[in-house]
């Protein structure tokens, strides 16, 4: 009797083991079929993509911030990207990318690239959302016309004018003798150079403008020369050689931007699909400092 019970016990135990092995085999086979879920094509098509175009004139900290931001966008947010850097203008390489790839967002970082970016946008090669990011105040005082389908992030023009105007007012308050250099179609504000001080103004359309400036500096014992019209660096240097302080009014400012914050805000915009065309200004967190050179 005992033998029979032991035999039945071993039989049931073996049957239970076989059943467990069958169930385990079925489970493993099922897992083998699934494995790591394959990414469906429609999900790949939905993956956000960015083309970053940056100027050769950017500072090393700005380039580093861009590189770190792009890696973070890819690793933490699955944003695919291409980065073409150290550009002086959007070239054939960029045009080729636009012809062969589709990007959701295109960022152009650096003032120098704006003219060629406008030309490239006009080709109509891409339905991408373009954003142009100003890196420094424009030396010519103006960004010029930008394609109406683009977003432009720039420094606050009113803030810049206020800072420059205050610098001039401080010179005048100190009774500084100033010689002004400009063009006839860009007159000096009368509050700075009244009509009775017309002999303190030199016009650049005069081929002898530098000789005239030299005469007036010596005649009036001037200590400052202010260029109110955009000029080349060589013209500024000639004036400095007269032994006076020189101010380039249109290119007088420099900006220190918080590029990490600027790019973090672009990421938030992409994630919330809040992109809008048109001109916008850097906010207080994105602009660290705006100052006279």
């Amino acid at each position: 009797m005992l033998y029979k019970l032991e035999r039945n016990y071993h039989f049931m135990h073996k049957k239970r083991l076989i059943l467990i092995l069958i169930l385990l085999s079925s489970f493993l086979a099922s897992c083998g079929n699934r494995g790591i879920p394959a990414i469906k094509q429609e999900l790949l098509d939905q993956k956000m993509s960015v083309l970053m175009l940056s100027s050769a004139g950017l500072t090393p900290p700005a380039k580093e911030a861009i590189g770190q931001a792009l890696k973070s966008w890819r690793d933490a947010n699955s944003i695919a990207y291409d980065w073409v850097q150290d550009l002086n203008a959007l070239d054939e390489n960029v045009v080729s990318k636009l012809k062969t790839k589709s990007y959701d967002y295109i960022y152009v970082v650096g003032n120098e690239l704006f003219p060629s970016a406008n030309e490239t946008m006009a080709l109509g090669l891409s339905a991408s959302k373009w954003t142009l990011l100003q890196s420094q105040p424009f030396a010519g005082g103006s960004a010029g016309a930008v394609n109406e389908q683009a977003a432009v992030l720039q420094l606050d023009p009113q803030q810049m004018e206020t800072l420059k105007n205050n610098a001039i007012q401080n010179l005048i308050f100190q009774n500084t003798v100033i010689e002004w250099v400009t063009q006839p179609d860009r007159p000096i504000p009368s509050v700075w150079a009244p009509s009775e001080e017309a002999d303190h103004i030199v016009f650049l359309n005069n081929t002898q403008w530098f000789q005239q400036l030299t005469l007036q500096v010596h005649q009036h014992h001037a200590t400052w020369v202010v260029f109110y019209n955009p000029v080349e660096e060589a013209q500024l240097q000639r004036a400095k050689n007269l032994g006076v302080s020189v101010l380039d009014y249109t290119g007088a400012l420099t900006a220190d931007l918080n590029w990490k914050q600027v790019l973090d805000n672009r990421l938030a915009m992409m994630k919330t699909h809040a992109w809008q065309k048109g001109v916008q200004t850097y906010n207080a967190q994105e602009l660290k400092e705006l100052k006279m050179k």
Side-chain angles (χ1 to χ4, degrees):
M1 181 68 179
L2 181 62
Y3 172 77
K4 186 176 182 180
L5 287 174
E6 288 180 353
R7 185 177 179 183
N8 287 339
Y9 172 78
H10 287 300
F11 175 76
M12 294 300 295
H13 181 65
K14 183 183 291 186
K15 187 175 181 180
R16 190 180 299 114
L17 286 175
I18 292 173
L19 181 60
I20 291 173
L21 288 173
I22 291 172
L23 291 174
L24 183 59
S25 298
S26 299
F27 175 76
L28 291 175
S30 175
C31 290
N33 289 336
R34 288 199 303 267
I36 298 174
I39 300 175
K40 295 181 180 179
Q41 184 59 45
E42 54 265 31
L43 293 179
L44 286 174
D45 294 339
Q46 293 173 10
K47 189 173 182 179
M48 199 179 298
S49 59
V50 163
L51 175 60
M52 180 69 69
L53 308 171
S54 61
S55 163
L58 291 183
T59 63
K63 295 178 183 178
E64 182 179 355
I66 292 173
Q68 291 177 350
L70 289 172
K71 290 178 182 177
S72 174
W73 291 2
R74 179 194 62 199
D75 297 341
N77 297 277
S78 299
I79 297 176
Y81 72 86
D82 284 327
W83 183 15
V84 184
Q85 52 184 311
D86 296 329
L87 291 168
N88 293 309
L90 272 63
D91 53 19
E92 287 301 318
N93 178 35
V94 174
V95 171
S96 177
K97 284 184 177 295
L98 295 178
K99 288 180 178 179
T100 57
K101 291 187 179 182
S102 176
Y103 300 96
D104 295 293
Y105 295 92
I106 299 176
Y107 293 98
V108 180
V109 188
N111 302 16
E112 304 92 329
L113 304 183
F114 282 21
S116 59
N118 283 329
E119 295 174 1
T120 304
M121 278 186 277
L123 297 176
L125 299 174
S126 170
S128 308
K129 296 178 176 65
W130 290 71
T131 301
L132 279 60
L133 293 92
Q134 185 178 359
S135 55
Q136 286 294 326
F138 281 88
S142 173
V146 175
N147 188 296
E148 63 179 10
Q149 294 303 314
V152 181
L153 201 57
Q154 66 174 24
L155 298 159
D156 186 346
Q158 186 58 53
Q159 183 181 359
M160 291 191 290
E161 285 302 305
T162 298
L163 188 58
K164 291 189 291 185
N165 289 350
N166 288 343
I168 297 294
Q169 293 290 0
N170 286 337
L171 289 178
I172 294 173
F173 180 77
Q174 296 167 18
N175 294 317
T176 303
V177 180
I178 303 172
E179 300 300 320
W180 301 87
V181 183
T182 189
Q183 292 282 12
D185 60 355
R186 187 171 163 80
I188 308 300
S190 59
V191 67
W192 294 344
S195 56
E196 61 268 22
E197 297 182 7
D199 59 339
H200 285 263
I201 299 174
V202 174
F203 291 114
L204 287 164
N205 64 336
N206 178 359
T207 57
Q208 301 296 314
W209 72 268
F210 183 70
Q211 290 83 342
Q212 182 64 35
L213 177 63
T214 302
L215 174 64
Q216 291 180 194
V217 165
H218 293 149
Q219 188 178 51
H220 301 141
H221 304 289
T223 55
W224 276 84
V225 171
V226 176
F227 285 82
Y228 193 63
N229 193 82
V231 290
E232 300 293 333
E233 180 60 33
Q235 293 170 301
L236 294 173
Q237 189 57 53
R238 291 186 74 185
K240 292 176 182 178
N241 291 339
L242 295 175
V244 296
S245 299
V246 175
L247 174 63
D248 173 14
Y249 183 84
T250 58
L253 302 178
T254 183
D256 184 11
L257 288 162
N258 183 350
W259 285 106
K260 182 181 184 305
Q261 187 65 57
V262 170
L263 294 164
D264 283 350
N265 289 348
R266 296 313 99 202
L267 173 62
M269 175 274 302
M270 289 188 290
K271 292 172 68 175
T272 57
H273 305 286
W275 181 90
Q276 290 182 331
K277 65 180 181 180
V279 177
Q280 305 150 41
T281 57
Y282 290 113
N283 61 37
Q285 290 72 43
E286 294 169 332
L287 176 62
K288 290 182 180 178
E289 186 180 25
L290 184 65
K291 62 182 181 181
M292 300 294 293
K293 289 181 178 178

